[in-house]
Amino acid sequence: MAGRISVEVDGRELSLSNLDKLLYPAAGFRKADVVDYFRRIAPVMLPHLAGRPPTLVRAPDGAQGERFFEKRCPPHHPSWVRVSEPLEPNGGQRSCIVEDLPTLVWLANLAALELHTNQWRLPDVNTPRAVVLDLDPGAPADVLDCCRVALELRELLDHLGMIAVVKTSGGKGLHISVPLNGAKVNDDQTKEFALALGQLLMGRDKKHITVEMAKAERKGKVFVDWSQNDRHKTTVCAYSLRIAERPTVSTPVAWDEIETALAAGDRDALTFEAPAVLERVAGDPDQWLDHYEPSLTVHQELPSL
């Protein structure tokens, strides 16, 4: 499959190139596999991209090569790719609007391995649709320590009458999303709420949990990153690949999977590569969509802390 081939995707003509190129050499995962992954994961991924023009992280030479961030929609995009108006939160860039399969496949062909999204959704860039908390372990802490903190966070939110959903980061941590979807809030309020939650958790266990930004303060602790709620900041989209040694995926999971992994002491239970994620959604796509869909649909108001 060297050179270029032309394909039709939902009525759009695309030119795909260098499909035999190894983008994840350690896994033997080629560009063709990347394109196929995004093509097949689209039904459950596109709802999380709708209205959220992504920041692209491109790695044309693969996971072991150089990578670069791109907020603007690449200027050579096909005429049928929708492009936003200049977005101040994205530095005034005109970004790609990714709401259909042809656009997602086109980005895969550009080796846009990671797609990161803001918490706001077009047309209202000033109203976040969720509160996000990134649980990031500082070695020797690991994903199981994140599981423990995530379950404590869920319990705390339950006391506040709120629900949350969880996904893996695709790396060593977890992402917790507290849906709002229409609540009249701004990013200062969501950031303040996320910080307050982190401080409550840290107050219970300062030895193992921190909200301090300085990396020197994070060793052996789970960093509850509240700053991801800034209007201009992004978090990797659900079902996006990650640029790593192997094609891991930021994967929505059920809360009982978090509990099971922690009880078993099995940190590998929460590492999912692209083929495994496709298997997860193949049997019952709606089941896996449901695990994270509340982040898109559930309306909640921020309580006072």
Coordinates of all heavy atoms in Angstrom, one line a residue, residues 116-158:
H116 N -7.5 16.8 21.0 CA -7.8 17.4 22.3 C -8.9 18.4 22.2 O -8.9 19.2 21.3 CB -6.6 18.0 22.9 CG -5.5 17.0 23.2 ND1 -4.9 16.9 24.5 CD2 -4.8 16.2 22.4 CE1 -4.0 16.0 24.5 NE2 -3.9 15.5 23.2
T117 N -9.9 18.4 23.2 CA -11.0 19.3 23.1 C -11.1 20.2 24.4 O -10.7 19.8 25.4 CB -12.3 18.5 22.9 OG1 -12.5 17.6 24.0 CG2 -12.3 17.8 21.6
N118 N -11.8 21.3 24.2 CA -12.1 22.2 25.3 C -13.3 21.7 26.0 O -14.0 20.8 25.5 CB -12.3 23.6 24.8 CG -11.1 24.2 24.1 OD1 -11.0 24.1 22.9 ND2 -10.3 24.9 24.9
Q119 N -13.7 22.3 27.1 CA -14.9 21.9 27.8 C -16.1 22.7 27.3 O -17.2 22.3 27.5 CB -14.7 22.2 29.3 CG -13.7 21.4 30.0 CD -13.8 19.9 29.7 OE1 -14.9 19.3 29.8 NE2 -12.7 19.3 29.2
W120 N -15.9 23.8 26.5 CA -17.0 24.5 25.9 C -17.4 23.8 24.6 O -16.7 23.0 24.1 CB -16.7 26.0 25.7 CG -15.4 26.2 25.1 CD1 -14.2 26.6 25.8 CD2 -15.0 26.2 23.7 NE1 -13.2 26.8 24.9 CE2 -13.6 26.5 23.6 CE3 -15.7 25.9 22.6 CZ2 -13.0 26.6 22.4 CZ3 -15.1 25.9 21.3 CH2 -13.7 26.3 21.3
R121 N -18.5 24.3 24.1 CA -19.1 23.7 22.9 C -19.6 24.8 22.0 O -20.3 25.7 22.6 CB -20.1 22.7 23.2 CG -20.6 21.8 22.1 CD -21.5 20.7 22.6 NE -21.9 19.8 21.5 CZ -22.6 18.7 21.7 NH1 -23.0 18.4 23.0 NH2 -22.9 17.9 20.7
L122 N -19.3 24.8 20.8 CA -19.9 25.9 19.9 C -21.4 25.8 19.9 O -22.0 24.7 20.0 CB -19.4 25.6 18.4 CG -17.9 25.8 18.2 CD1 -17.6 25.4 16.7 CD2 -17.5 27.3 18.4
P123 N -22.1 27.0 19.8 CA -21.5 28.3 19.5 C -21.0 29.1 20.8 O -20.5 30.2 20.7 CB -22.6 29.0 18.8 CG -23.8 28.5 19.5 CD -23.5 27.0 19.7
D124 N -21.3 28.5 22.0 CA -21.0 29.3 23.2 C -19.7 28.9 23.8 O -19.5 27.9 24.6 CB -22.1 29.0 24.2 CG -22.0 29.9 25.5 OD1 -21.1 30.7 25.5 OD2 -22.9 29.8 26.3
V125 N -18.6 29.6 23.5 CA -17.3 29.3 23.9 C -17.0 29.8 25.4 O -16.0 29.6 25.9 CB -16.2 29.9 23.0 CG1 -16.4 29.4 21.6 CG2 -16.3 31.5 23.0
N126 N -18.0 30.5 25.9 CA -17.8 31.0 27.3 C -18.5 30.2 28.4 O -18.4 30.5 29.5 CB -18.4 32.5 27.3 CG -17.6 33.4 26.4 OD1 -16.4 33.5 26.5 ND2 -18.3 34.1 25.6
T127 N -19.2 29.1 28.0 CA -19.9 28.3 29.0 C -19.4 26.9 28.9 O -19.7 26.1 28.0 CB -21.4 28.3 28.7 OG1 -21.9 29.7 28.7 CG2 -22.1 27.5 29.8
P128 N -18.6 26.5 29.9 CA -18.1 25.1 29.9 C -19.3 24.1 30.1 O -20.3 24.4 30.8 CB -17.2 25.1 31.1 CG -17.6 26.2 32.0 CD -18.1 27.2 31.1
R129 N -19.2 23.0 29.5 CA -20.2 21.9 29.6 C -19.9 20.9 30.6 O -20.7 20.0 30.9 CB -20.3 21.2 28.2 CG -20.5 22.2 27.0 CD -21.9 22.7 26.9 NE -22.8 21.6 26.6 CZ -24.1 21.7 26.2 NH1 -24.6 23.0 26.1 NH2 -24.9 20.7 26.0
A130 N -18.8 21.0 31.2 CA -18.4 20.0 32.3 C -17.3 20.6 33.1 O -16.6 21.5 32.7 CB -18.0 18.7 31.6
V131 N -17.1 20.0 34.3 CA -15.9 20.2 35.1 C -15.0 18.9 34.9 O -15.5 17.8 34.9 CB -16.3 20.3 36.6 CG1 -15.0 20.5 37.4 CG2 -17.2 21.4 36.8
V132 N -13.8 19.2 34.6 CA -12.9 18.0 34.4 C -11.8 18.0 35.4 O -11.2 19.1 35.8 CB -12.3 18.0 33.0 CG1 -11.4 19.3 32.7 CG2 -11.5 16.8 32.7
L133 N -11.4 16.9 35.9 CA -10.3 16.7 36.9 C -9.4 15.6 36.3 O -9.8 14.5 36.0 CB -10.8 16.3 38.3 CG -11.6 17.4 38.9 CD1 -13.1 17.0 38.9 CD2 -11.2 17.7 40.4
D134 N -8.1 16.0 36.1 CA -7.1 15.1 35.6 C -6.3 14.5 36.7 O -5.6 15.3 37.4 CB -6.2 15.8 34.6 CG -5.1 15.0 34.0 OD1 -5.0 13.8 34.3 OD2 -4.4 15.5 33.2
L135 N -6.5 13.2 37.0 CA -5.7 12.6 38.1 C -4.4 12.0 37.5 O -4.4 11.1 36.7 CB -6.5 11.4 38.7 CG -8.0 11.8 39.2 CD1 -8.6 10.7 39.9 CD2 -7.9 13.1 40.1
D136 N -3.3 12.7 37.9 CA -2.0 12.4 37.3 C -1.1 11.9 38.4 O -0.7 12.7 39.3 CB -1.5 13.7 36.7 CG -0.2 13.4 36.0 OD1 0.2 12.3 35.7 OD2 0.5 14.4 35.6
P137 N -0.6 10.6 38.4 CA 0.2 10.1 39.5 C 1.7 10.5 39.3 O 2.2 10.4 38.2 CB 0.0 8.6 39.3 CG -0.2 8.4 37.9 CD -1.0 9.6 37.4
G138 N 2.3 10.9 40.4 CA 3.7 11.1 40.4 C 4.4 9.9 40.9 O 4.2 9.4 42.0
A139 N 5.3 9.3 40.1 CA 6.0 8.1 40.5 C 6.6 8.2 42.0 O 7.0 9.3 42.3 CB 7.1 7.7 39.6
P140 N 6.5 7.1 42.8 CA 6.1 5.8 42.4 C 4.6 5.6 42.5 O 4.1 4.4 42.4 CB 6.8 4.9 43.5 CG 6.8 5.8 44.7 CD 7.1 7.2 44.1
A141 N 3.8 6.6 42.7 CA 2.3 6.4 42.6 C 1.9 6.0 41.2 O 2.7 6.3 40.2 CB 1.6 7.7 42.9
D142 N 0.8 5.3 41.0 CA 0.4 4.8 39.7 C -1.1 4.9 39.5 O -1.8 5.5 40.3 CB 1.0 3.3 39.5 CG 0.4 2.4 40.5 OD1 -0.6 2.6 41.1 OD2 1.0 1.3 40.7
V143 N -1.6 4.2 38.5 CA -3.0 4.3 38.1 C -3.9 3.8 39.2 O -5.0 4.2 39.4 CB -3.3 3.6 36.8 CG1 -3.1 2.1 36.9 CG2 -4.6 4.0 36.3
L144 N -3.4 2.8 40.0 CA -4.2 2.3 41.1 C -4.4 3.3 42.2 O -5.5 3.4 42.8 CB -3.6 1.0 41.7 CG -3.5 -0.2 40.7 CD1 -2.9 -1.4 41.4 CD2 -4.9 -0.5 40.2
D145 N -3.4 4.1 42.4 CA -3.6 5.3 43.4 C -4.6 6.2 42.8 O -5.4 6.8 43.6 CB -2.2 6.0 43.6 CG -1.2 5.1 44.3 OD1 -1.4 4.8 45.5 OD2 -0.3 4.6 43.6
C146 N -4.6 6.4 41.5 CA -5.6 7.3 40.8 C -7.0 6.7 41.0 O -8.0 7.4 41.2 CB -5.3 7.4 39.4 SG -3.8 8.4 39.0
C147 N -7.1 5.4 40.9 CA -8.4 4.7 41.2 C -8.9 5.0 42.6 O -10.1 5.3 42.7 CB -8.2 3.2 41.0 SG -8.0 2.6 39.3
R148 N -8.0 4.9 43.5 CA -8.4 5.2 44.9 C -9.0 6.6 45.1 O -10.0 6.9 45.7 CB -7.3 5.0 45.8 CG -7.6 5.0 47.3 CD -6.4 4.5 48.1 NE -6.0 3.2 47.8 CZ -4.9 2.9 47.1 NH1 -4.1 3.8 46.7 NH2 -4.6 1.6 46.9
V149 N -8.2 7.6 44.5 CA -8.7 9.0 44.5 C -10.0 9.2 43.7 O -10.8 9.9 44.2 CB -7.5 9.9 44.0 CG1 -8.0 11.3 44.0 CG2 -6.3 9.8 44.9
A150 N -10.1 8.5 42.6 CA -11.3 8.7 41.8 C -12.5 8.2 42.5 O -13.6 8.8 42.5 CB -11.1 7.9 40.5
L151 N -12.4 7.1 43.3 CA -13.5 6.6 44.0 C -13.9 7.5 45.2 O -15.1 7.7 45.5 CB -13.2 5.2 44.5 CG -13.2 4.1 43.4 CD1 -12.6 2.8 43.9 CD2 -14.5 3.9 42.7
E152 N -12.9 8.1 45.8 CA -13.1 9.1 46.9 C -13.8 10.3 46.3 O -14.7 10.9 46.9 CB -11.8 9.5 47.5 CG -11.2 8.3 48.4 CD -9.8 8.8 49.0 OE1 -9.5 10.0 48.9 OE2 -9.1 7.9 49.5
L153 N -13.4 10.7 45.1 CA -14.0 11.8 44.4 C -15.5 11.6 44.1 O -16.4 12.4 44.3 CB -13.2 12.2 43.2 CG -13.8 13.4 42.3 CD1 -13.9 14.6 43.1 CD2 -12.9 13.6 41.1
R154 N -15.7 10.3 43.6 CA -17.1 10.0 43.3 C -18.0 10.0 44.5 O -19.1 10.5 44.5 CB -17.2 8.6 42.6 CG -18.6 8.2 42.2 CD -18.6 6.8 41.6 NE -18.3 5.8 42.5 CZ -18.6 4.5 42.4 NH1 -19.3 4.1 41.3 NH2 -18.3 3.6 43.3
E155 N -17.4 9.5 45.6 CA -18.2 9.5 46.9 C -18.5 10.9 47.3 O -19.6 11.3 47.8 CB -17.4 8.8 48.0 CG -18.1 8.7 49.3 CD -17.3 8.0 50.4 OE1 -16.1 7.8 50.1 OE2 -17.8 7.8 51.5
L156 N -17.5 11.8 47.2 CA -17.7 13.2 47.6 C -18.8 13.9 46.7 O -19.6 14.6 47.2 CB -16.4 14.0 47.4 CG -16.3 15.5 47.7 CD1 -16.8 15.7 49.2 CD2 -14.9 16.0 47.5
L157 N -18.7 13.6 45.4 CA -19.7 14.2 44.5 C -21.1 13.6 44.8 O -22.1 14.3 44.7 CB -19.3 13.9 43.0 CG -18.2 14.7 42.5 CD1 -17.6 14.1 41.2 CD2 -18.5 16.2 42.3
D158 N -21.2 12.3 45.2 CA -22.4 11.7 45.5 C -23.1 12.4 46.7 O -24.3 12.6 46.7 CB -22.2 10.2 45.8 CG -23.5 9.5 46.0 OD1 -24.4 9.5 45.1 OD2 -23.7 8.9 47.1

